[in-house]
């Protein structure tokens, strides 16, 4: 009986361990889901001595800031084992050389190894230009197997399973509205204003707002209808009160924007359809509003969501 109980407990513990491993694997995959695997055109490459080769890097998206992490390996074409040589590696975007490093293959026993890292800001990512590697072999030996990942045909056991990646910057960006805090909406009317900051790569949009009723009596709050327009078409609608009001249903428009063309036009249509009051100082952030009742807030676009 005792042995039977122990067997049951052992089986349950084994199952629990398996489920834990699966869960950790899923979570790990989620954490890495934002990274984009990069490849090098025509790789693996053979680079003869005293030559320079330039090849495109595939996978770095246009208009997306983030981090480039390159891990580079190659082999010296000689019968002598454990011979390593330096290559000059240049990371190029368009016509600009952004990183230059003379280094050894990542699997070598020498330093510095060819780990190249480059943080790409929004300004750089918006430049129309191909991403490339320029490799110069000024040594006395040809090299082969040059790549930014370990391909299946590289059976050298000393080369670990390397993969170069691009990790998009997924931090939220503040949205801004045409006209800022000076937007006025007359009674039973609506206005449209351009919305700036939604990027073509897609992401999560959150729009909150504040406005004031142009009356002498304090604490008069009016609900607005706010529509998010993409190229003139309504994609999301929300009704709500100013963020500083005493009402529960405050404006909080949320929309998952898909990836699309870089020339998309985004607008907000703000409708004062429930009152005859003039509404003033509408904005999607606090801005320069001196009213102490209005808390500091922003509307945001979060890419990669």
């Amino acid at each position: 009986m005792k042995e039977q109980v122990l067997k049951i407990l052992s089986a349950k513990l084994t199952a629990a361990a398996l489920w834990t491993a699966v869960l950790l694997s899923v979570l790990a995959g989620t954490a890495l889901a934002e990274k984009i695997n990069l490849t090098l055109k025509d790789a693996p490459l053979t680079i003869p001595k005293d030559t320079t080769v330039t090849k495109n890097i595939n996978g770095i998206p246009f208009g997306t800031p983030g981090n480039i992490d390159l891990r580079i390996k190659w082999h010296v074409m000689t019968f002598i084992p454990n011979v390593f040589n330096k290559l000059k590696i240049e990371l190029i975007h368009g016509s600009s050389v952004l990183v230059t490093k003379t280094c050894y293959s990542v699997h070598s026993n020498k330093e510095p190894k060819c780990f190249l890292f480059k943080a790409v800001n929004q300004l750089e990512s918006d430049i129309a230009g191909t991403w490339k590697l320029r490799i110069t072999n000024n040594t006395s030996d040809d090299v082969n197997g040059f790549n930014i990942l370990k391909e299946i045909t590289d059976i050298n056991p000393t080369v670990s399973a390397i993969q170069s990646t691009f990790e998009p910057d997924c931090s939220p960006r503040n949205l801004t509205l045409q006209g800022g805090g000076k937007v006025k909406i007359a009674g039973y009317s609506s206005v449209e204003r351009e919305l700036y900051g939604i990027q073509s790569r897609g992401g999560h949009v959150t729009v909150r707002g504040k406005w004031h009723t142009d009356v002498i009596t304090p604490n008069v709050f009016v609900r607005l209808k706010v529509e998010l327009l993409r190229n003139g078409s309504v994609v999301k609608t929300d009704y709500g009160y100013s963020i500083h009001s005493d009402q529960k249903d405050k404006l909080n428009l949320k929309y998952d924007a898909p990836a699309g063309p870089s020339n998309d036009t985004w607008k907000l249509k703000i409708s004062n359809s429930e009152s005859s009051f003039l509404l003033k100082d509408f904005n999607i952030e606090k801005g320069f509003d001196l009213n102490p009742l209005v808390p500091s807030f922003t509307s945001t676009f979060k890419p990669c969501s």
Side-chain angles (χ1 to χ4, degrees), residues 1-10:
M1 183 68 178
K2 184 176 179 181
E3 289 180 1
Q4 204 171 14
V5 171
L6 288 173
K7 284 182 180 179
I8 292 171
L9 287 174
S10 176

Side-chain angles (χ1 to χ4, degrees), residues 30 52 97 128 139 143 161 185 228 237 240 257 264 276 280 282 289:
T30 301
T52 295
V97 178
T139 71
V143 303
I185 311 106
L228 178 63
T237 302
D264 277 348
S276 59
K280 61 181 184 179
F282 179 92
D289 195 323

Side-chain angles (χ1 to χ4, degrees), residues 108-298:
S108 74
N109 57 9
K110 297 181 179 294
E111 298 289 343
K113 294 180 174 61
C114 276
F115 294 103
L116 274 67
F117 181 86
K118 176 61 182 176
V120 181
N121 59 26
Q122 187 67 58
L123 184 63
E124 185 66 42
S125 70
D126 287 336
I127 295 174
T130 305
W131 288 91
K132 296 167 282 192
L133 274 189
R134 184 161 64 202
I135 311 109
T136 302
N137 181 4
N138 285 328
T139 71
S140 57
D141 294 299
D142 300 340
V143 303
N144 64 4
F146 184 97
N147 210 343
I148 61 174
L149 56 87
K150 181 175 182 179
E151 68 281 356
I152 195 169
T153 54
D154 190 337
I155 59 174
N156 190 315
T158 63
V159 180
S160 60
I162 60 169
Q163 173 67 62
S164 297
T165 59
F166 176 83
E167 183 173 15
D169 178 2
C170 296
S171 58
R173 275 84 164 153
N174 290 343
L175 299 175
T176 57
L177 188 68
Q178 176 191 4
K182 299 179 181 180
V183 179
K184 294 182 180 180
I185 311 106
Y188 302 117
S189 67
S190 61
V191 298
E192 289 186 12
R193 293 291 185 272
E194 289 199 32
L195 182 65
Y196 307 119
I198 299 177
Q199 298 170 355
S200 60
R201 54 177 157 156
H204 186 70
V205 178
T206 300
V207 175
R208 300 183 291 172
K210 63 91 188 177
W211 57 93
H212 303 291
T213 309
D214 192 19
V215 294
I216 299 175
T217 308
N219 299 329
V220 176
F221 300 107
V222 173
R223 191 175 76 151
L224 291 179
K225 174 185 177 183
V226 176
E227 296 166 285
L228 178 63
L229 283 68
R230 182 180 189 177
N231 300 327
S233 299
V234 176
V235 294
K236 188 70 175 182
T237 302
D238 192 46
Y239 295 82
Y241 293 91
S242 172
I243 197 170
H244 77 293
S245 75
D246 58 4
Q247 303 294 314
K248 289 183 179 179
D249 298 326
K250 296 176 174 56
L251 178 68
N252 191 26
L253 185 152
K254 294 182 180 294
Y255 177 66
D256 288 321
S262 59
N263 60 350
D264 277 348
T265 300
W266 295 89
K267 291 184 178 180
L268 286 186
K269 182 177 181 180
I270 310 119
S271 299
N272 179 13
S273 55
E274 298 181 359
S275 84
S276 59
F277 296 121
L278 171 66
L279 304 181
K280 61 181 184 179
D281 301 332
F282 179 92
N283 205 352
I284 59 172
E285 59 183 336
K286 180 178 173 85
F288 296 103
D289 195 323
L290 299 179
N291 189 317
L293 298 179
V294 179
S296 178
F297 77 99
T298 58

